[in-house]
Amino acid sequence: MKRWSLIGLIALLAVSALAACSGGKDDSASGGESKNTITVKHAMGTENKVPADPKRVVVLTNEGTEALLELGIKPVGAVKSWTGDPWYSHIKDEMKGVKEVGLEGEPNIEAIAELKPDLIIGNKMRHEKIYDKLEQIAPTVFSETLRGEWKDNFSLYAKAVNKEAKGKEVLKNFDNRVSELSKKLGDQKKKRVSVIRFMAGQSRIYYEDSFPGIILKQLGFDFPEKQKKLFEKQKDKFVFMTESKESIPEMDGDVLFYFTYQPAESKKDALTWKNDWTSDPLWKKLNAVKSGNAHEVDDAIWTTAGGVKAAYLFLDDIEKYFLKS
């Protein structure tokens, strides 16, 4: 009995030693990271082990798509752009060969599974209800929300694909571009900027927590006094929504930018809504309109895309309208 026990013990030790040297994927005993995986804490309150070098990434937000592209990763699948067919014009060339997997608000689970991803990137605000289904397909990482602060999500995505250093470089370069442009703008930054969006059946005034608002504030711009008073009345500093033309006077500014959200699948015509508002006498009385400082810009760049590539193009628009016009 003692002899067989000794032999069993030796065999067990041999197996343990072999496992320790094998470099296998299962590193759960130590709770650390192996050469094959990294650990990412994300919005679902868990720490997920994801591939250290993902090859087949599916991304379920538009700003997430831009983040991956800027980090040098081409996803195998992505949700279609809100107004693209299927991709926004500013990323279309980079997205050739990428499989569309439905809308950001309603991803196609079957299409995602067919791509056999090794990593899925999504968003809690959009996709919390399908998180468990996604996790059954591949390791999944969620950002928390989709508001104006795109940099927070970008940093998480860079971590998820194991490109934190590259991510920090991208953000540093963007901040440097903002700093350089801010210096060039000089006294132009004293002008109060208004940002207006037209949708089918609704008009919006964007403020400091929105995508355009955050970048404008970083550049050194401020908002019109009427809008400051307007947003004092509500907790949300992101957007004011209205269906009444009586709100048009509050849209004024020294410079006004406006754009229209017209998704391809919408049965309601946002362009008709926009034309109705911009032909109204109240609109024509706005100082920005009368002085020729009301500019129509691209909805995708100014809010819908919401990612790093759009942010750079946003800066190009600011330079164009304030310095080159």
Side-chain angles (χ1 to χ4, degrees):
M1 288 294 292
K2 291 183 179 180
R3 181 171 176 268
W4 284 109
S5 296
L6 180 61
I7 293 173
L9 177 61
I10 293 172
L12 179 61
L13 290 172
V15 170
S16 298
L18 181 62
C21 297
S22 66
K25 294 182 180 181
D26 185 5
D27 57 356
S28 58
S30 64
E33 297 181 359
S34 74
K35 294 180 180 179
N36 302 310
T37 64
I38 61 172
T39 302
V40 180
K41 186 175 182 180
H42 67 114
M44 295 304 290
T46 60
E47 293 187 353
N48 282 10
K49 292 188 184 300
V50 303
D53 185 22
K55 301 297 185 183
R56 300 184 61 80
V57 184
V58 169
V59 60
L60 306 182
T61 66
N62 282 273
E63 44 89 50
T65 299
E66 294 200 1
L68 292 183
L69 293 175
E70 194 72 11
L71 290 166
I73 294 177
K74 187 174 185 177
V76 294
V79 289
K80 66 180 292 186
S81 300
W82 289 108
T83 55
D85 189 25
W87 317 119
Y88 293 127
S89 59
H90 67 279
I91 63 170
K92 183 167 60 176
D93 290 343
E94 295 180 84
M95 293 293 283
K96 290 179 179 177
V98 177
K99 175 73 174 180
E100 177 213 316
V101 293
L103 295 170
E104 183 172 305
E106 193 175 359
N108 186 322
I109 299 293
E110 291 74 19
I112 295 170
E114 287 176 2
L115 290 171
K116 298 180 180 179
D118 54 9
L119 174 64
I120 299 172
I121 292 176
N123 177 270
K124 183 178 180 180
M125 188 176 84
R126 289 275 194 259
H127 312 121
E128 183 174 12
K129 291 182 179 180
I130 61 171
Y131 175 73
D132 290 341
K133 292 181 180 179
L134 295 174
E135 270 283 278
Q136 291 174 15
I137 298 171
T140 301
V141 172
F142 275 5
S143 52
E144 181 69 36
T145 188
L146 288 167
R147 301 290 279 181
E149 189 47 87
W150 60 272
K151 291 181 182 178
D152 291 342
N153 287 359
F154 180 89
S155 296
L156 175 65
Y157 303 149
K159 168 69 175 176
V161 296
N162 202 19
K163 288 185 177 290
E164 282 188 282
K166 175 65 175 178
K168 290 178 181 178
E169 179 185 348
V170 168
L171 294 181
K172 182 180 179 181
N173 290 340
F174 179 81
D175 288 342
N176 288 341
R177 169 87 166 98
V178 170
S179 180
E180 292 169 3
L181 179 55
S182 181
K183 290 178 182 178
K184 290 180 182 179
L185 287 165
D187 289 342
Q188 293 276 16
K189 290 179 291 185
K190 294 179 181 179
K191 295 178 179 179
R192 302 298 179 95
V193 181
S194 178
V195 180
I196 308 301
R197 189 189 202 190
F198 297 111
M199 306 172 70
Q202 187 183 92
S203 299
R204 296 185 171 191
I205 300 174
Y206 282 91
Y207 200 54
E208 58 186 20
D209 287 346
S210 66
F211 178 77
I214 286 173
I215 302 177
L216 287 170
K217 292 289 285 187
Q218 188 179 357
L219 284 166
F221 285 104
D222 206 349
F223 300 92
E225 286 300 322
K226 283 187 178 180
Q227 292 179 14
K228 289 186 176 183
K229 293 178 180 178
L230 177 68
F231 280 90
E232 284 177 358
K233 300 176 184 178
Q234 64 177 48
K235 293 181 180 180
D236 187 0
K237 306 303 179 185
F238 183 83
V239 65
F240 173 79
M241 298 174 283
T242 180
E243 298 175 10
S244 172
K245 291 181 181 178
E246 292 180 359
S247 299
I248 289 178
E250 293 170 311
M251 296 179 172
D252 206 0
D254 297 319
V255 181
L256 186 156
F257 295 97
Y258 66 100
F259 40 93
T260 307
Y261 176 59
Q262 178 69 54
E265 65 276 4
S266 176
K267 295 180 180 179
K268 295 182 179 180
D269 190 357
L271 294 175
T272 298
W273 180 272
K274 182 262 293 188
N275 291 334
D276 182 44
W277 278 57
T278 56
S279 62
D280 191 90
L282 287 174
W283 178 269
K284 293 181 179 180
K285 288 181 181 178
L286 296 179
N287 292 324
V289 174
K290 290 191 294 184
S291 63
N293 287 309
H295 308 292
E296 187 166 14
V297 290
D298 189 336
D299 178 88
I301 302 305
W302 277 68
T303 192
T304 311
V308 58
K309 290 183 175 293
Y312 269 111
L313 293 171
F314 182 101
L315 296 180
D316 290 345
D317 273 355
I318 294 299
E319 183 169 16
K320 170 185 174 182
Y321 288 108
F322 282 94
L323 299 179
K324 297 181 180 180
S325 297

